[in-house]
Amino acid sequence: MGITGIWSIPMAPKKTATKEAAKPAAKPAKVDKKAPASKPAGKDKAVSKDSKKKPEAKKEEKPKYPERKKGESYWSWAQRKHKTNIKEFSNLFAPRPKKYGTGQCRPIKPDLTRHVRWPLYVRRQRKKQLLLRRMKMPPALNQFFHPVSRIMKGTILKMAANYRPETDKERKNRLVADAKARVKDRKAKRTKKAAALSFYLSNVTRKIEKRLASLVLIANDAAPIETVLWMPSLCRKMGVPYAIIKSKSVLGRLVNRKTAAAVAFTTIRSEDKAAFAKLLESLKTHYSEKMDSHRTKWGGLMLGAKHQFKMAAKEAKKKQR
């Protein structure tokens, strides 16, 4: 092959640098596999406006519970309503037990009544009542431990409330009214004091001795008891009806005092005479006849619970032999 043959091969023309060639080649766009396929142009107008709106969420309809029947209990209605057992409703309030350890719930204060040292006057009262039960009691003292029944006491006090003596203020008002009436008219008569109960031991004793008392009420807890111990026997001697009432404070309230050892009915109003006669009859049948048996019997000798158990055990052993 000669030289001429080499130069005879045509050479490729050189490319000129242009602006378009200077720009980098655009990369092909990545196709998103998840994205939906694009719709063809021109079909968007055909889609209706209603289809563009988002679908509304369906409202959950509340279940219709059965109505509660007339007279039906709540729990039976709840069972029908929820179709469950009562046990499920009882567990609504779960128990939360308290813990009384250190740094936790405060401990409950215990009842320390047993360990309290009572005042001296309380201890004296209790010891006195205990001694009176244990020791042998003579008949004169025993009758004071059998007062009138509660029903009879109520009827007597109801009658006695109408004969309450006037207070200092009421007496002053009565005397002032009398004085004003006498200033106007010299011949005006003074108003008499209303019929009332008589109290104080000396006054009541005088009324009994003169047989002016129609009924005598004696307190069973007068202190000392010797102040009224002789009064029932004096009333029986003079033929004056009497009754032993529980609590001297009750008699004291009838005569506007704190306490009263004895109180007596003296004058009875005409409108109350029939009711008072019935009261005396019921007092005679239900109290005075029973009082005769208590008046002749010895009292006391009430043994304690421990001693009674011991005596019962001894008797049981004797029977076994």
Side-chain angles (χ1 to χ4, degrees), residues 1-10:
M1 189 172 178
I3 296 166
T4 54
I6 298 166
W7 291 103
S8 63
I9 297 166

Side-chain angles (χ1 to χ4, degrees), residues 90-275:
S90 62
N91 293 332
L92 288 173
F93 303 99
R96 286 175 285 181
K98 291 185 178 182
K99 294 178 182 179
Y100 298 106
T102 53
Q104 293 177 1
C105 296
R106 295 177 70 183
I108 300 166
K109 287 186 178 180
D111 186 12
L112 301 174
T113 312
R114 174 82 176 158
H115 309 285
V116 171
R117 186 171 177 81
W118 292 96
L120 185 63
Y121 77 95
V122 175
R123 281 181 278 154
R124 279 177 180 167
Q125 286 173 358
R126 291 178 178 178
K127 285 177 181 178
K128 182 184 175 183
Q129 291 299 319
L130 191 66
L131 277 171
L132 288 171
R133 287 197 206 100
R134 298 285 185 272
M135 62 192 278
K136 197 175 181 181
M137 201 179 297
L141 190 61
N142 185 36
Q143 64 182 338
F144 282 89
F145 286 83
H146 300 281
V148 176
S149 65
R150 185 171 58 84
I151 298 166
M152 185 63 70
K153 180 185 173 182
T155 54
I156 292 168
L157 294 178
K158 195 175 181 180
M159 176 66 74
N162 299 328
Y163 291 87
R164 194 187 298 273
E166 61 184 359
T167 59
D168 293 338
K169 192 174 182 180
E170 289 172 351
R171 182 174 175 274
K172 184 182 177 182
N173 293 338
R174 179 173 59 83
L175 294 174
V176 168
D178 287 349
K180 286 179 180 179
R182 290 192 73 189
V183 167
K184 292 178 181 178
D185 185 10
R186 277 283 180 181
K187 295 180 180 179
K189 293 183 179 179
R190 293 179 181 177
T191 53
K192 290 183 179 180
K193 193 189 291 186
L197 296 167
S198 57
F199 53 101
Y200 293 128
L201 275 172
S202 57
N203 194 14
V204 172
T205 307
R206 200 181 305 113
K207 300 287 183 184
I208 295 167
E209 288 172 346
K210 292 182 179 180
R211 294 177 182 174
L212 297 173
S214 49
L215 177 62
V216 178
L217 307 177
I218 307 165
N220 74 327
D221 58 346
I225 196 68
E226 287 80 4
T227 53
V228 292
L229 195 63
W230 46 269
M231 197 170 279
S233 58
L234 180 65
C235 288
R236 284 194 302 274
K237 184 181 178 181
M238 293 303 190
V240 176
Y242 70 95
I244 293 169
I245 301 289
K246 193 174 182 180
S247 184
K248 57 188 177 183
S249 60
V250 172
L251 296 181
R253 270 183 253 129
L254 293 173
V255 292
N256 304 318
R257 297 286 186 279
K258 284 185 179 179
T259 57
V263 163
F265 285 90
T266 50
T267 53
I268 307 299
R269 301 189 197 103
S270 58
E271 61 268 18
D272 294 333
K273 281 184 179 179

